[in-house]
Amino acid sequence: MILSKLPILPVAAVALAVTLIGVIAFSHAQAGSNRDSERHGRKLAEAYCSACHGSDGNSTDQTIPKLAGQDPAYLLAQLRAFKSGARQSDIMSGPVSALSDAQLQELAGYYSRLTARADTVRNPTSADVGADIFNRRGPGAPPCAACHGGNGFGPMGSMMGGGRGMMGGGG
């Protein structure tokens, strides 16, 4: 028998080899799964979202949110809220009602991997007013910076996106 002529390997070495083969196989399966999820997310975005939010998640309409670079947990929470009706929107309720939770996760993951484009400041006065609102307490509300930090990414950001801020984008 061929097996009887092979040197006997210590059990630990065999176990290590089997474990490494399993880890490598799992890593390749995960990479394929991640690519499939990204491809599915892109197709869903093209079919359901890009008309309003832009093909790259950067809406050019100031009344429509940019989704590129947002935190995936935040996006998923918002999509689920639209789907359940906890967040009301005549525009959003239709598209999300047709999607499964797995599809909502693929969308959130897809948009989170895209790069957000900064808007061009067209009106310096408006930019100054926005900076004032962000940094100073307004009537009935604390300044944005109180929760989002001076750069807009924390300390509350760590609660929703690992330091990226509730709306994602860096940090």
Side-chain angles (χ1 to χ4, degrees):
M1 173 180 250
I2 294 175
L3 290 177
S4 64
K5 295 183 183 193
L6 292 175
I8 298 175
L9 296 173
V11 173
V14 172
L16 178 61
V18 169
T19 301
L20 288 174
I21 291 169
V23 167
I24 291 168
F26 179 77
S27 295
H28 284 289
Q30 282 297 102
S33 174
N34 289 343
R35 281 191 299 274
D36 287 344
S37 179
E38 186 173 340
R39 187 172 41 252
H40 292 155
R42 182 177 56 250
K43 286 182 179 181
L44 290 167
E46 289 168 357
Y48 292 93
C49 313
S50 64
C52 296
H53 294 283
S55 61
D56 63 352
N58 286 286
S59 171
T60 57
D61 183 331
Q62 293 181 358
T63 64
I64 298 174
K66 290 184 177 193
L67 302 180
Q70 300 289 332
D71 183 76
Y74 174 79
L75 286 173
L76 182 58
Q78 299 310 308
L79 289 168
R80 285 176 173 161
F82 284 126
K83 184 169 175 124
S84 73
R87 185 170 177 192
Q88 297 289 316
S89 169
D90 293 337
I91 295 169
M92 289 296 298
S93 62
V96 296
S97 68
L99 301 173
S100 69
D101 195 68
Q103 290 172 314
L104 296 180
Q105 290 176 39
E106 289 175 333
L107 274 171
Y110 171 72
Y111 278 116
S112 73
R113 289 185 292 274
L114 299 177
T115 301
R117 252 190 349 256
D119 290 326
T120 303
V121 175
R122 296 180 186 156
N123 182 336
T125 303
S126 294
D128 291 342
V129 170
D132 192 51
I133 291 168
F134 185 85
N135 292 304
R136 293 183 189 17
R137 180 176 176 83
C144 304
C147 296
H148 296 279
N151 62 3
F153 302 125
M156 288 290 286
S158 62
M159 294 175 64
M160 288 296 287
R164 292 182 58 195
M166 290 176 70
M167 303 302 247

